[in-house]
Each structure stands twice: as C-alpha cells, then as structure tokens.
C-alpha cells in the first residue's frame, strides 16, 4: 500500500498536472533528474514543497503526510437538517479537514453541534443545517471537499506526530510544532535503524548504535556510517542543517522550558521541510532497498 496518494502539481511551463508522489522523492534522494513528464521542464523539489506548504486554503498540505482527499455533491433543503456521513469513504480513518462550497446563492451549510463544539473532528458523521439567508432559496447543491488520514496510517505514531506538527504550524503554535516534528523524526529514525542495522550483520555499526540512546548520536554519528556501509544515498547537507537547527530549538524547549530563538513563519516552514524530507527518507529508502533484495 502506498504511503501517500497521488498529489497533483501543475507544471509552471506547460500547465499540465503531474504526480508528486513517492517516485519523486526516490529520484530526489538518488540525485536523478526531476521534471515534468510532458514538456520535460525541470522542477525544484524545495520550491514544490514550499508551494505545498503555502497552498493550504483547501488542505493541500495534508497530502504531503499521506492524507487522502475526496469530494461529493449534496442536495440541501433550506431549514431541513442534512446528515452527512463520510464513513463509507473514510472508514476507520480520521477526518482532519472539511470545506463546504455552496453552488449558487442563498443556502449556506452550517454545522450543528451540541453544547460543546467539537475541535478537532471527533466523528465522520456531521449534521448540517442549510441556512437560507435570502429567504427564497429552494433545494440547492453544495460541494463537500475533505481530507482524512487513511486507516492504515492511524497507528503510525510518526505520521500522527508529523500531522500534529503541520496543524500546529498553521495555527501559529510554532514551539508546539517544533516539539511534534522532532518527536516524529525521532520515531521514524528509530524505526529505520532498528529495521536496517540487524540486516547488515555489522558488529561495529551495532556497537556504535548501542553506545548512546540519543537522537544527536544516532542521527549524526550512526546514520552516516550506516548510509556509507549500505551505499544508500546521502540525505543531504541542507536537510541535515535544518534537522539540527530544529533539534537545538526543541532541546531548549524541553530542557529549559522555553526557547529564546525568534521564529517567523518562513523560517519554521523551511525547518519543517527539512524535517519532513528526512522523515520521507526513513519511510522510503531502507524499505525500497531491502524489498528488492
């Protein structure tokens, strides 16, 4: 099962849409050419990532983590509650974003809640009240567009922590985002090392791995040795720099109770892109190499 769905991006030269999915990240890490399959125009993964981070008005940022999207049209009768049930599509997954777009004038879908408005989403079933603000609307249509975490990722703690990091980033809770992003990367690194090191049968790597149970030691000391031994592609200096910058701020927050580092949205976005790419590396590279043995 793929880790993420097809994510379509538009070529800035020819305007055609192309898949921005796992194959793109494989090519990125292995240094292969990246370009539009139609006009062969080259593109920059970092710029595409920045675009995905910035274009969040319809929840597009969730696609990077592995969330899936769908849409449906519904018929609304003014004054008559509508039960929207997404269970057949989402199943045991988790709804993380929803958008209602009325088609036409007059009727606006409003969510009905009890005494305590839910936040975040607690169910895949939502009751809507079609409010007629014009006083003359008949049955009207609306498009429901939503993103959800598929059920096969719900129990992947690294994915859910990265999801939390993204959500906190868009809420402006930057320090919370940093802690969640670092935790996500630590979990994915630990899983990568535990799955990969035993397959090497290399006692030196195993001994180095067991020397210290810290992220700094395992990311900056063990991982490079393992990558060299297995001839995996390097993660990249720019990614490593962002990972270590974010790690330092996270350590201040955890060990000192706060961080004096001033962060703006763009600076944290660039760090999160670095963290996310390292996260993708751990999800893809080891698995893809050993699956083909």
């Amino acid at each position: 099962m793929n880790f993420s769905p097809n994510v379509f991006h538009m070529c800035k030269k020819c305007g055609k849409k192309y898949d921005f999915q796992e194959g793109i990240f494989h090519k990125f890490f292995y240094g292969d050419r990246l370009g539009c399959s139609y006009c062969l125009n080259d593109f920059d993964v970092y710029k595409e990532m920045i675009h995905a981070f910035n274009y969040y008005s319809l929840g597009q940022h969730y696609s990077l983590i592995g969330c899936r999207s769908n849409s449906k049209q519904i018929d609304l009768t003014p004054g008559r509650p509508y039960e929207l049930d997404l269970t057949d599509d989402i199943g045991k997954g988790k709804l993380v974003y929803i958008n209602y777009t009325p088609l036409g004038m007059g009727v606006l879908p409003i969510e009905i809640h009890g005494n305590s408005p839910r936040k975040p989403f607690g169910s895949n079933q939502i009751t809507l009240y079609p409010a007629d603000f014009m006083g003359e609307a008949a049955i009207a249509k609306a498009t429901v567009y939503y993103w959800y975490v598929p059920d096969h990722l719900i129990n992947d703690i690294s994915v859910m922590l990265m999801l939390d990091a993204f959500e906190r980033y868009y809420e402006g809770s930057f320090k919370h985002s940093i802690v969640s992003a670092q935790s996500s990367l630590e979990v994915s690194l630990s899983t990568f090392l535990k799955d990969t090191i035993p397959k090497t049968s290399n006692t030196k790597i195993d001994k180095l791995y067991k020397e210290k149970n810290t992220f700094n030691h395992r990311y900056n000391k063990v991982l490079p040795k393992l990558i060299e031994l297995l001839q995996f592609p390097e993660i990249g200096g720019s990614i490593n720099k962002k990972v270590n910058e974010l790690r330092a701020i996270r350590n201040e927050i955890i060990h000192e109770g706060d961080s004096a580092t001033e962060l703006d949205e763009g600076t944290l976005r660039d760090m999160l892109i670095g963290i996310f790419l390292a996260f993708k590396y751990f999800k893809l590279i080891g698995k893809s190499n050993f699956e083909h043995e």
Side-chain angles (χ1 to χ4, degrees):
M1 186 175 292
N2 289 336
F3 177 71
S4 66
N6 291 347
V7 183
F8 293 106
H9 286 243
M10 183 177 292
C11 175
K12 295 176 178 60
K13 183 177 180 181
C14 71
K16 295 287 185 69
K17 292 181 179 180
Y18 58 85
D19 290 352
F20 192 64
Q21 53 181 321
E22 306 300 35
I24 296 293
F25 291 106
H26 276 284
K27 289 181 178 180
F28 170 75
F29 288 121
Y30 278 99
D32 296 336
R33 177 191 167 275
L34 297 168
C36 173
S37 57
Y38 297 96
C39 70
L40 304 182
N41 182 52
D42 291 343
F43 64 77
D44 186 315
V45 163
Y46 284 100
K47 290 182 179 178
E48 295 295 332
M49 293 283 292
I50 289 172
H51 172 76
F53 264 76
N54 290 343
Y55 185 57
Y56 60 86
S57 60
L58 286 177
Q60 296 291 338
H61 52 289
Y62 290 114
S63 67
L64 296 171
I65 307 171
C67 295
R68 294 177 177 169
S69 66
N70 207 345
S71 64
K72 63 188 301 182
Q73 279 195 2
I74 58 175
D75 293 322
L76 301 172
T77 301
R80 181 180 298 174
Y82 180 92
E83 298 295 331
L84 175 64
D85 191 348
L86 303 175
T87 304
D88 287 345
D89 184 25
I90 297 177
K92 295 181 180 179
K94 175 181 173 60
L95 182 67
V96 293
Y97 173 92
I98 196 162
N99 175 280
Y100 308 107
T101 302
L103 303 178
M105 299 292 292
V107 176
L108 182 67
I110 298 176
E111 289 188 1
I112 298 176
H113 57 75
N115 292 342
S116 299
R118 58 181 189 167
K119 178 66 177 157
F121 297 103
S123 170
N124 298 331
Q125 298 172 314
I126 302 167
T127 301
L128 300 175
Y129 181 82
D132 180 6
F133 289 100
M134 305 293 288
E136 55 187 28
I139 294 177
K141 293 184 180 294
T143 298
V144 180
Y145 182 69
Y146 54 96
W147 286 90
Y148 64 96
V149 183
D151 56 5
H152 71 281
L153 294 181
I154 285 291
N155 294 321
D156 187 329
I157 187 64
S158 65
V159 170
M160 300 309 290
L161 283 166
M162 188 62 72
L163 174 67
D164 186 62
F166 276 34
E167 290 181 326
R168 300 294 85 78
Y169 166 76
Y170 288 107
E171 290 175 358
S173 302
F174 290 170
K175 292 174 183 177
H176 186 154
S177 175
I178 285 171
V179 173
S180 293
Q182 176 65 26
S183 297
S184 172
L185 191 61
E186 289 196 33
V187 172
S188 56
L189 171 64
S190 296
T191 302
F192 175 81
L193 294 178
K194 286 174 66 177
D195 289 346
T196 306
I197 289 176
K199 296 173 183 176
T200 68
S201 300
N202 187 292
T203 56
K204 289 184 178 180
I205 287 288
D206 187 59
K207 182 179 179 181
L208 182 64
Y209 169 73
K210 293 176 180 177
E211 275 185 10
K212 291 183 180 180
N213 184 17
T214 66
F215 178 83
N216 181 35
H217 173 72
R218 292 183 171 177
Y219 186 88
N220 292 305
K221 302 293 185 182
V222 179
L223 183 62
K225 295 288 187 183
L226 182 63
I227 288 174
E228 181 181 10
L229 174 68
L230 296 175
Q231 297 183 323
F232 284 175
E234 294 184 0
I235 292 180
S238 59
I239 295 175
N240 290 335
K241 180 182 178 183
K242 296 303 179 185
V243 166
N244 284 303
E245 286 176 354
L246 188 138
R247 175 182 62 85
I249 298 173
R250 176 266 183 193
N251 287 346
E252 288 179 354
I253 296 170
I254 295 298
H255 301 303
E256 305 296 332
D258 201 356
S259 172
T261 304
E262 293 292 333
L263 286 172
D264 58 38
E265 185 174 323
T267 301
L268 179 55
R269 178 201 63 205
D270 292 344
M271 287 185 188
L272 287 177
I273 288 175
I275 287 280
F276 174 77
L277 287 171
F279 167 86
K280 291 295 287 187
Y281 184 99
F282 299 139
K283 290 291 183 183
L284 297 174
I285 298 302
K287 180 178 68 173
S288 66
N289 278 275
F290 288 114
E291 279 181 350
H292 292 92
E293 287 186 349

